[in-house]
């Protein structure tokens, strides 16, 4: 399963975020926690450790669980629906693995291009996305994609800043 994930992020050509075999010990968990983004494989269940994961994929049970802390970040948006339609088309067209990889890469490139347009000259922040988009869930999702892709950073954004963004008038 974990070996297939690089195909979903082909544009990166860097698999350093993949940790295919981790132990459930303090050293391994501290190493994971020091990374902003990672995909880790474990032999033993970690479903109860929602403090270290956003998405938990239990391959043997064929289940995906979203942690309580991340549920607001994984609300279904138009981007998700668009990707799901593309994936469905791959299935209906009986696409081979390479066609699927290329299709996902094209969708990813399209999404990253849109993020670059939204960034403009000022860069991306959660606040700037919320100002440009009426869908708060979409803004949050896109900001998290931008963070994962290195197109944004949390530097200078304090916890809860977005909650107060609407209450202040912009300076002219």
């Amino acid at each position: 399963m974990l070996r297939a994930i690089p195909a979903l992020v082909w544009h990166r050509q860097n698999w350093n975020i993949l940790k295919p075999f981790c132990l459930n010990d303090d050293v391994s968990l501290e190493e994971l926690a020091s990374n902003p983004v990672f995909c880790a494989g474990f032999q033993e269940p970690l479903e109860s450790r929602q403090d270290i994961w956003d998405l938990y994929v239990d391959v043997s049970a064929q289940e995906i669980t979203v942690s309580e802390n991340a549920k607001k970040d994984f609300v279904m948006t138009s981007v998700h629906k668009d990707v799901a339609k593309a994936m469905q088309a791959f299935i209906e067209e009986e696409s081979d693995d390479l066609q699927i990889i290329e299709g996902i890469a094209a969708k990813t490139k399209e999404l990253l291009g849109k993020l670059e347009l939204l960034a403009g000259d000022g860069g991306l922040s959660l606040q700037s996305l919320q100002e440009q988009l009426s869908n708060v869930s979409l803004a949050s999702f896109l900001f998290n994609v931008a963070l994962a892709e290195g197109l944004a950073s949390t530097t200078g954004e304090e916890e809860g800043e977005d909650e107060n963004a609407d209450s202040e008038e912009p300076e002219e």
Side-chain angles (χ1 to χ4, degrees):
M1 167 79 181
L2 198 58
R3 294 177 80 190
I5 291 176
L8 301 175
V9 289
W10 191 253
H11 64 284
R12 284 192 179 177
Q13 294 296 305
N14 177 350
W15 318 144
N16 291 336
I17 65 168
L18 298 179
K19 311 294 181 197
F21 184 79
C22 295
L23 300 173
N24 186 4
D25 63 18
D26 290 340
V27 173
S28 293
L29 296 177
E30 283 177 25
E31 181 184 335
L32 290 177
S34 70
N35 294 298
V37 178
F38 64 86
C39 184
F42 287 85
Q43 292 273 329
E44 49 198 84
L46 283 180
E47 192 167 6
S48 64
R49 292 292 313 270
Q50 290 193 17
D51 59 311
I52 64 169
W53 53 264
D54 292 332
L55 289 176
Y56 183 82
V57 179
D58 185 337
V59 176
S60 60
Q62 297 180 345
E63 293 179 355
I64 297 174
T65 305
V66 178
S67 74
E68 288 300 319
N69 294 336
K71 283 192 176 188
K72 66 178 175 25
D73 295 329
F74 288 94
V75 173
M76 182 71 77
T77 69
S78 59
V79 172
H80 297 93
K81 292 173 186 172
D82 186 41
V83 171
K85 285 180 188 176
M87 298 290 278
Q88 183 65 34
F90 295 139
I91 292 167
E92 290 172 0
E93 296 166 6
E94 297 181 11
S95 303
D96 62 30
D97 291 347
L98 182 59
Q99 290 170 318
I100 294 170
I101 291 168
E102 289 172 344
I104 291 171
K107 280 286 181 198
T108 302
K109 186 176 180 180
E110 180 183 318
L111 177 61
L112 295 177
K114 289 178 181 178
L115 280 172
E116 289 172 2
L117 285 174
L118 288 167
D121 294 332
L124 281 174
S125 69
L126 182 55
Q127 183 177 349
S128 70
L129 286 170
Q130 288 174 336
E131 289 169 357
Q132 295 178 71
L133 303 169
S134 60
N135 184 328
V136 175
S137 296
L138 180 58
S140 179
F141 172 73
L142 291 177
F143 181 68
N144 286 318
V145 169
L147 282 174
E149 294 299 326
L151 300 173
S153 89
T154 57
T155 305
E157 288 200 15
E158 299 300 322
E159 189 78 26
E161 178 180 318
D162 58 304
E163 294 170 8
N164 300 324
D166 293 334
S167 63
E168 296 179 16
E169 291 295 320
E171 294 182 18
E172 295 183 312

